Amino acid sequence: MWQGWPIERVLILFAGLAFALIAVQVTLFHARQNFRHWAMWVPVLELPVFAVTAIVLSFMNAGWLRWVFAFMMVIGLASGVIGASLHAAGVRQRVGGYSQSQNFLVGPPIILPLLITAMSALGLLALFWG
């Protein structure tokens, strides 16, 4: 069980709340694009699971749940990097590709999937800090 609110516990709760907010934004962006590629479903489905797991873990420090959360965060690290590469490919496919700075403004946001990677890394750091 947790005793008090050590920084690790606060960071896991923060990561869970951040995953929930990112899930809303990603769902809106991908719905706007009508889920044209199957990979658009991956963050829409995984982020709410990440959020719930982190929030539950911040209140119930069970050993098995810590390992489930760790596994999910490793998946989050990978899927964020893969998402960033897919988004970069989407920018490249627009008229003018990378040479048109406008494509980075109106095309798929390359940084948003990397935010998933960063939050997953934060979750792992918080989990294994001590």
Side-chain angles (χ1 to χ4, degrees), residues 41-122:
W41 284 103
V42 173
V44 169
L45 297 174
E46 77 182 358
L47 288 172
V49 175
F50 290 177
V52 169
T53 305
I55 292 167
V56 170
L57 177 59
S58 69
F59 289 98
M60 185 181 82
N61 190 17
W64 65 271
L65 189 55
R66 294 174 67 85
W67 285 107
V68 169
F69 181 69
F71 178 72
M72 288 182 181
M73 293 302 94
V74 170
I75 290 172
L77 288 172
S79 68
V81 171
I82 293 166
S85 68
L86 290 171
H87 281 210
V91 170
R92 186 185 69 241
Q93 291 171 359
R94 298 180 72 83
V95 175
Y98 299 131
S99 65
Q100 297 291 326
S101 61
Q102 184 71 12
N103 289 342
F104 289 96
L105 298 174
V106 297
I110 296 174
I111 299 302
L112 189 56
L114 294 176
L115 183 58
I116 296 170
T117 299
M119 292 309 303
S120 298
L122 178 67

Side-chain angles (χ1 to χ4, degrees), residues 26 40 48 62 109:
V26 167
M40 293 174 127

